[in-house]
């Protein structure tokens, strides 16, 4: 369990992290969201012991990071932002070096190296210097390095940045496949990633915690949550749609010709809407229920303070 | 100690994974040969010893050691790998010591590879082997002091070139401080105490006896202490500046 209380970090006059408090239980896969410069990386750097907080405390299973840094670092796997590594080493040499530092010995080390290399599919580049690898491979080497000792806590700063869609999918599967009693903290810009992998979302903006709940709760924040969007093949009289029971509002996109109906809170309007469409024989090409638009929620959460 | 060994091993092999170590050793061997034969007149002196060879070591180290040490920390900070290193269960002093030992071993290797010179004087006459061994040890110790200064300068900046120049300048001050140039400049106005203090920091003065094969406790102690102090300084600097 990670327990963070009143954490803050100042760089000269600039407050990067401002009075952050949260708890993370085993089994939590936390998605750290926030605009660039929000303090995500700074928070992660403090969690891993790289940066010393200006104020506040960080505890792992009741032990403070301050006094047990080395012990705690042994149980953390960390992928820093940009996946830095020793470029002149070969992939295998590098992973072997990390395994050595992580106190893996003999057969166990061989076993773990083999497993990790297979998991992130590095077989084809094992003997190439890291500096000659593509961005995607570098990222995967960084990931392999982070999980080699099977850590209890995994902290990944933008693990899918620079990966192609297949590799992203693979990394997400990898994270999901980690056993259930671990803590995983991922920072990302990609909102879909959060709903795909995480069971908890934390949004940070200007160093403050703005949202802390499940991805579903984040979707529910959207006014598009359970809204119905349909596309008409040609213009028709749609004024009646707004009158359907449970529909709070209607919006028409004149460019795409899409009509969106917003439900009153907690209402499911798909049934009544389809009934109405059939009854009036409206020329509907497509019709679907929205899951909530995360980018819109993200925008409203991260900018509301700035506006105020 | 285990971690110091792991770090040193990695650093050492990294010197040989890049051309750094090869170039360093080749240049060191070439220059030390040139200096001892052409400027030091090893032959013409008609003495079977390596004094001309060792006398030029401070000047060789002045440029070559900063060159080998300049990337130690600045590269680590520029590439961001310092974040990785500092979040592994390794303490900073282990990393500092490991890196120092690795580079010091490269310097040692370069010194060992000058053995043909030793064979040469053996062929020409009967040198005192004890003196030569002592001078080698002394030279290696002095190289350690140069190295510790250069590593500390490398910790100060992300830019390798800046690190190199700073290191050369600081090393130069320490080499020169006992020379007649500095002492003469101080003579007219400074008291004896100040002159003696400045002069006592000189690498040249401390190495003078060593090159002749005398390993006096104060000279050895001076270089060991320099290494310790400068490494400790780099430890503090890294602690302060690692995240900049």
């Amino acid at each position: 369990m990670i327990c963070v209380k009143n954490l803050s970090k100042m760089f000269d006059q600039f407050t990067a992290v401002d009075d952050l408090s949260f708890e993370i239980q085993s089994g939590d896969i936390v998605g750290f969201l926030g605009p660039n410069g929000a303090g995500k990386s700074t928070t992660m750097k403090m969690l891993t012991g790289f940066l010393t907080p200006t104020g506040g405390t960080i505890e792992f299973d009741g032990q403070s990071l301050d006094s047990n840094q080395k012990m705690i670092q042994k149980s953390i796997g960390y992928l820093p932002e940009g996946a830095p590594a020793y470029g002149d080493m070969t992939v295998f040499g590098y992973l072997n070096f990390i395994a050595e530092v992580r106190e893996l010995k003999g057969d166990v080390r061989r076993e773990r190296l083999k497993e990790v290399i297979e998991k992130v599919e590095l077989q084809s580049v094992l003997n190439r210097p890291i500096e000659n690898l593509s961005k995607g491979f570098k990222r995967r080497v960084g990931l392999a390095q982070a999980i080699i000792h099977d850590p209890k806590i995994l902290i990944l700063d933008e693990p899918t940045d620079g990966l192609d869609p297949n590799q992203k999918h693979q990394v997400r599967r990898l994270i999901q496949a980690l056993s259930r009693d671990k803590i995983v903290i991922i920072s990302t810009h990609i909102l879909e990633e959060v709903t795909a992998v995480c069971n908890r979302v934390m949004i940070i903006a200007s160093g403050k915690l703005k949202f802390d709940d499940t991805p579903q709760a984040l979707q529910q924040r959207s006014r598009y949550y359970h809204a119905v969007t349909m596309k008409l093949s040609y213009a028709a009289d749609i004024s009646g749609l707004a009158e359907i029971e449970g529909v709070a509002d209607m919006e028409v996109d004149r460019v795409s010709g899409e009509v969106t109906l917003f439900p009153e809170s907690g209402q499911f309007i798909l049934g009544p809407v389809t009934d109405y469409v059939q009854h009036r024989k409206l020329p509907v090409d497509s019709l679907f229920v929205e899951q909530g638009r995360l980018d819109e929620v993200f925008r409203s959460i991260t900018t509301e303070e700035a506006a105020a | 100690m285990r971690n110091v060994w792991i770090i040193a091993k990695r650093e050492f092999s990294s010197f040989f994974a890049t051309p750094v170590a090869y170039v360093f050793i080749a240049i060191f061997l070439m220059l030390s040969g040139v200096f001892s034969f052409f400027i030091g007149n090893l032959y013409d002196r008609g003495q079977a010893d390596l004094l001309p060879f060792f006398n030029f070591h401070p000047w060789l180290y002045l440029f070559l050691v900063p060159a080998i040490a300049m990337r130690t920390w600045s590269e680590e900070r520029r590439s961001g790998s310092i974040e990785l290193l500092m979040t592994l269960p390794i303490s900073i002093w282990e990393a500092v010591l490991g890196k120092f030992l690795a580079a010091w071993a490269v310097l040692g290797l370069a010194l060992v590879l000058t053995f043909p010179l030793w064979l040469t004087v053996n062929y020409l006459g009967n040198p005192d082997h004890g003196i030569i061994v002592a001078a080698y040890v002394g030279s290696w110790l002095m190289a350690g002091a140069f190295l510790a200064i250069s590593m500390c300068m490398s910790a100060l900046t992300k830019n390798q070139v800046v690190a190199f120049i700073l290191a050369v300048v600081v090393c130069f001050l320490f080499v020169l401080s006992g020379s007649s140039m500095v002492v003469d400049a101080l003579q007219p106005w400074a008291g004896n105490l100040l002159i003696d203090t400045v002069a006592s920091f000189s690498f040249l003065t401390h190495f003078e006896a060593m090159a002749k094969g005398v390993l006096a406790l104060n000279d050895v102690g001076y270089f060991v202490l320099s290494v310790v102090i400068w490494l400790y300084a780099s430890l503090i600097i890294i602690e302060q500046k690692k995240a900049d």
Side-chain angles (χ1 to χ4, degrees), chain B residues 5 24 28 65 99 105-106 114 158 161 163 167 181 189 208 240:
Chain B
W5 170 240
F24 174 83
F28 181 79
V65 175
K99 276 169 180 282
V106 174
T114 59
K158 274 186 196 173
V161 178
M181 203 173 89
W189 53 276
E208 215 178 351
Q240 293 294 318

Side-chain angles (χ1 to χ4, degrees), chain A residues 44-97:
Chain A
M44 289 182 147
K45 282 175 186 171
M46 287 194 279
L47 287 177
T48 50
F50 181 60
L51 286 179
T52 319
T54 314
T57 55
I58 303 173
E59 283 180 6
F60 291 81
D61 292 328
Q63 288 183 310
S64 100
L65 181 62
D66 221 18
S67 45
N68 299 291
Q69 182 153 326
K70 243 177 135 178
M71 271 303 298
I72 291 166
Q73 280 176 336
K74 281 183 186 177
S75 59
I76 298 181
Y78 178 41
L79 172 70
E81 193 177 8
Y86 292 110
D88 50 38
M89 297 180 96
T90 64
V91 172
F92 186 80
Y94 176 66
L95 291 180
N96 194 43
F97 162 67

Side-chain angles (χ1 to χ4, degrees), chain A residues 22 44 55 71-72 122 140 143 167 203 224 230 248 250 266 273 279 300:
Chain A
F22 56 84
M44 289 182 147
M71 271 303 298
I72 291 166
L122 290 170
R140 285 194 271 165
L143 205 63
Q167 293 165 343
I203 297 181
Y224 283 93
M230 63 181 91
M250 175 169 81
V273 170
H279 183 67
S300 73

Side-chain angles (χ1 to χ4, degrees), chain A residues 235-246:
Chain A
D237 179 18
I238 51 167
S239 55
L241 285 171
E243 311 298 320
I244 299 171
E245 196 175 327

Side-chain angles (χ1 to χ4, degrees), chain B residues 52-53 62 101 106 117-118 124 127 172-173 178 197 201 206 212:
Chain B
F53 164 69
L62 178 58
L101 291 178
V106 174
L117 224 48
W118 193 351
L124 295 171
F172 191 56
L173 289 178
T197 317
F201 282 129
H206 285 285
K212 292 184 185 120

Side-chain angles (χ1 to χ4, degrees), chain B residues 71-198:
Chain B
R71 61 194 282 276
T72 346
W73 291 106
S74 46
E75 172 68 12
E76 196 96 35
R77 277 175 55 202
R78 198 193 51 78
S79 75
S81 53
I82 192 162
E83 188 169 348
L84 192 97
L85 186 65
M86 297 285 132
T87 50
L88 288 172
I90 293 175
S91 42
I92 302 182
W93 73 263
E94 289 172 328
V96 168
L97 197 59
K99 276 169 180 282
F100 174 78
L101 291 178
W104 206 26
V106 174
L107 295 175
L109 185 64
L111 273 178
V112 168
L113 289 177
T114 59
F115 71 93
L117 224 48
W118 193 351
L119 295 182
T120 307
V121 286
N122 253 308
Y123 177 73
L124 295 171
N126 284 313
D128 185 333
H129 294 295
I131 289 180
I132 292 181
V133 170
Y136 265 115
V137 171
S139 174
W140 194 43
L141 271 173
M142 181 176 61
F146 275 101
L147 188 63
I149 292 178
S150 307
M151 284 192 161
C152 185
M153 295 302 124
S154 175
L156 273 177
T157 165
K158 274 186 196 173
N159 188 315
Q160 296 193 23
V161 178
V162 174
F164 175 78
I165 293 172
L166 282 177
V168 171
V169 168
V170 176
C171 288
F172 191 56
L173 289 178
F174 275 88
V175 170
L176 268 195
S177 63
S179 71
S180 50
M181 203 173 89
V182 173
V183 173
D184 287 349
L186 289 175
Q187 204 82 57
W189 53 276
N192 275 337
L193 185 68
L194 182 66
I195 295 176
D196 286 349
T197 317
V198 171

